[in-house]
Amino acid sequence: MRLAHGRPSLRQNVLRHVLVWLGLAWLLGSIVTVGVGQWFTQRAFDRALLDDAHLIASKVEVRDRQVALQLTPGELHAVLFDQHETMLFSVRGADGALLAGDRALPPPAASLSDTGHRFRQAEIDGRSFRLVVLAVNRPVPFTVTVAQSTSERAALLRELLAFSLAPQVLLLGVLAWRLRRSITADIAPLSQLRAAVEERQAGDFTPVPVRADSAEVHALAQSINMLMERLEESARAQREFTGNVAHELRTPLAGIRAQAEYGLRHRDPEVWREQLQGIAASETRASQALDKLLALALAYEAGTALQLAPVRLDHAVQEAVLRFLPRADRQGVDLGAEGVDAPSTVQADLTLVEGILDNLLENALRHGTTGADGRPVVTVAVQREGERTVLSVQDNGPGIPPERRSEMLKRGVRGVGQPSSGTAGGVGLALVTFYAQLLKAPVSFGSGPDGRGWRCAIVFGG
């Protein structure tokens, strides 16, 4: 099977690589087998040829320094008998003169040492022969040459190749078939994984089920599932970001619209100027909020830890109280701060700290000012507890029952006494929890010291 763009499949690549190296190993093994078989075959035939030369040399007699072969034609025929090969011999003196045998045999190329012998190849009458030259020195030197045609040797070598290489070829074919089945079975989980990923619908981040016997395929499946988890987290972060933008921009945009409508209903330029100033201020707050959310979303999407830096918590609290003080005065709320006279520095991010304070104060002024006893009070406090610094916002409103506190952290849930306020009280608290998690600062929600009201505390350091 070939995949897209004409590329070979993984099975074809693996099978090709394995079979190429198996084929090379088989070829090398065959060459070694042929070489070893030829060496042993040559050695066996040469040993018999040398034995014939020694037998003929033993029948040579020397009389009055004359050399003579003492073999009858029948005895010579028996010595050199070979059913398949042609046998030739010659006996020559020290001067190279032929004393007995066939003249077709060439004389020795050079004199040999005492009782030495030498093998070589020769062409005689167009046929290939194997020769052995035996030198004898007792007391008159002479040489005995015995030659044998090589057709039988070649036939024996061909048979050796046929009987040794043919089974190897068959074995290689069986091995290739078995490898193909095994490789197909081993990479089948990859095909299953590809099919599972291709069939996956957008927004479906459930783990991909894969049955894998190999560690590599199992690791790949785990990596894909981990990627699915990161994609799910990214999608969840995008949804959170969308909700955060909607929450943070709803109030300033509504204010801009209300101020614009109010200005359109009046013809007094002073009213227009006042409303335009309010619109500009609301737009500035909306832009700042959007910038904060964008920076937060980028940091969250990148998966990188925020660069924490020293933050003067007392200054941040004072500035937040000053921002909300005009609104608190209009609502008749006693908004104050405690513990901000002494410097208090924590490792945090100023943007997130401001987001926490703004959301908590917004929530307190919106939902915590319906207390039945006296004037509504909202207090922002900074307390030092050993190595830890606690930032808290508390009101004296009706509070929230313990069974509803976790529910209030969900977006879109309204606070007590706000059935139709048109604002989502739980959104701000969800953002506070999210910001505190990014700062690695534990957050807790509960009642005030006297059991009334609503209190949120964020612990820095320690």
Side-chain angles (χ1 to χ4, degrees):
M1 178 186 68
R2 286 188 172 268
L3 303 179
H5 307 294
R7 296 178 180 176
S9 65
L10 178 61
R11 181 184 64 184
Q12 290 175 328
N13 283 336
V14 173
L15 191 62
R16 182 175 67 250
H17 294 325
V18 172
L19 289 182
V20 165
W21 285 106
L22 279 178
L24 291 176
W26 169 79
L27 180 60
L28 180 61
S30 300
I31 293 174
V32 172
T33 300
V34 171
V36 171
Q38 185 177 12
W39 185 80
F40 277 104
T41 302
Q42 191 88 297
R43 185 177 180 183
F45 277 92
D46 287 350
R47 179 61 62 87
L49 198 61
L50 183 59
D51 289 342
D52 292 341
H54 277 289
L55 182 57
I56 292 175
S58 66
K59 299 300 182 178
V60 175
E61 293 185 356
V62 180
R63 296 178 181 175
D64 298 331
R65 303 190 64 83
Q66 296 294 323
V67 178
L69 179 62
Q70 301 298 318
L71 281 175
T72 64
E75 294 173 337
L76 188 60
H77 177 74
V79 170
L80 299 178
F81 175 77
D82 192 302
Q83 186 175 359
H84 301 286
E85 299 289 4
T86 300
M87 301 293 297
L88 303 175
F89 86 99
S90 66
V91 180
R92 295 180 181 273
D95 57 356
L98 182 64
L99 303 179
D102 300 288
R103 293 185 178 276
L105 288 175
S111 60
L112 300 174
S113 60
D114 294 348
T115 65
H117 67 274
R118 179 182 300 163
F119 293 96
R120 66 188 183 93
Q121 297 291 129
E123 290 287 334
I124 302 175
D125 296 334
R127 299 175 62 190
S128 176
F129 280 80
R130 181 72 169 173
L131 283 72
V132 60
V133 180
L134 177 65
V136 181
N137 187 10
R138 51 168 196 174
V140 179
F142 64 92
T143 59
V144 176
T145 302
V146 178
Q148 182 184 40
S149 58
T150 59
S151 59
E152 186 66 18
R153 300 187 187 204
L156 183 60
L157 185 59
R158 287 193 298 270
E159 291 180 1
L160 176 63
L161 288 175
F163 284 104
S164 63
L165 300 184
Q168 294 183 32
V169 174
L170 179 61
L171 180 62
L172 187 63
V174 173
L175 183 60
W177 172 79
R178 183 57 190 172
L179 279 174
R180 185 176 183 275
R181 290 178 58 88
S182 300
I183 292 173
T184 301
D186 288 339
I187 65 176
L190 289 177
S191 300
Q192 299 173 5
L193 185 61
R194 178 176 60 84
V197 172
E198 289 178 350
E199 296 172 359
R200 185 59 56 93
Q201 298 295 324
D204 184 4
F205 302 108
T206 56
V208 178
V210 175
R211 297 190 305 271
D213 296 331
S214 62
E216 290 79 8
V217 177
H218 183 70
L220 177 60
Q222 284 186 325
S223 298
I224 292 179
N225 288 333
M226 292 174 62
L227 176 61
M228 290 291 185
E229 293 178 1
R230 292 194 294 270
L231 291 176
E232 183 178 13
E233 183 178 357
S234 177
R236 184 168 56 250
Q238 291 178 0
R239 292 192 297 269
E240 292 286 341
F241 174 73
T242 303
N244 293 343
V245 170
H247 169 72
E248 294 288 352
L249 297 184
R250 181 182 294 112
T251 299
L253 291 179
I256 291 174
R257 180 177 180 180
Q259 289 170 331
E261 291 177 349
Y262 181 81
L264 291 174
R265 289 197 300 267
H266 293 76
R267 295 182 179 276
D268 187 354
E270 289 298 326
V271 174
W272 294 347
R273 179 180 178 82
E274 180 182 354
Q275 298 307 311
L276 286 175
Q277 290 176 343
I279 290 174
S282 298
E283 188 278 333
T284 300
R285 290 195 299 272
S287 297
Q288 292 174 348
L290 184 59
D291 291 341
K292 293 177 182 179
L293 289 171
L294 289 175
L296 181 62
L298 291 175
Y300 189 82
E301 282 293 324
T304 58
L306 290 172
Q307 296 296 325
L308 303 184
V311 174
R312 286 289 298 271
L313 197 57
D314 53 313
H315 289 174
V317 170
Q318 292 174 0
E319 293 175 0
V321 170
L322 290 176
R323 284 196 303 272
F324 282 86
L325 192 58
R327 175 179 172 182
D329 290 340
R330 289 195 302 271
Q331 296 181 209
V333 178
D334 183 6
L335 175 61
E338 296 179 356
V340 296
D341 297 332
S344 179
T345 304
V346 297
Q347 291 293 322
D349 180 83
L350 181 58
T351 299
L352 296 185
V353 171
E354 291 177 348
I356 290 174
L357 288 169
D358 290 347
N359 281 283
L360 288 178
L361 288 173
E362 174 75 23
N363 186 76
L365 292 177
R366 179 176 299 164
H367 304 292
T369 59
T370 57
D373 300 333
R375 184 182 182 184
V377 177
V378 175
T379 303
V380 184
V382 178
Q383 296 174 313
R384 189 73 179 176
E385 297 180 358
E387 298 295 328
R388 304 183 304 172
T389 302
V390 180
L391 171 65
S392 63
V393 177
Q394 178 182 342
D395 63 56
N396 65 341
I400 300 175
E403 63 273 11
R404 290 203 62 200
R405 289 174 183 172
S406 59
E407 181 183 0
M408 286 299 299
L409 299 180
K410 299 178 181 179
R411 181 175 287 109
V413 179
R414 293 181 172 84
V416 177
Q418 304 289 336
S420 60
S421 61
T423 58
V427 177
L429 298 182
L431 288 177
V432 169
T433 303
F434 177 58
Y435 295 163
Q437 289 176 351
L438 293 178
L439 294 175
K440 297 181 174 57
V443 59
S444 61
F445 300 100
S447 301
D450 56 355
R452 290 193 54 79
W454 168 260
R455 180 177 186 270
C456 174
I458 296 95
V459 181
F460 295 91

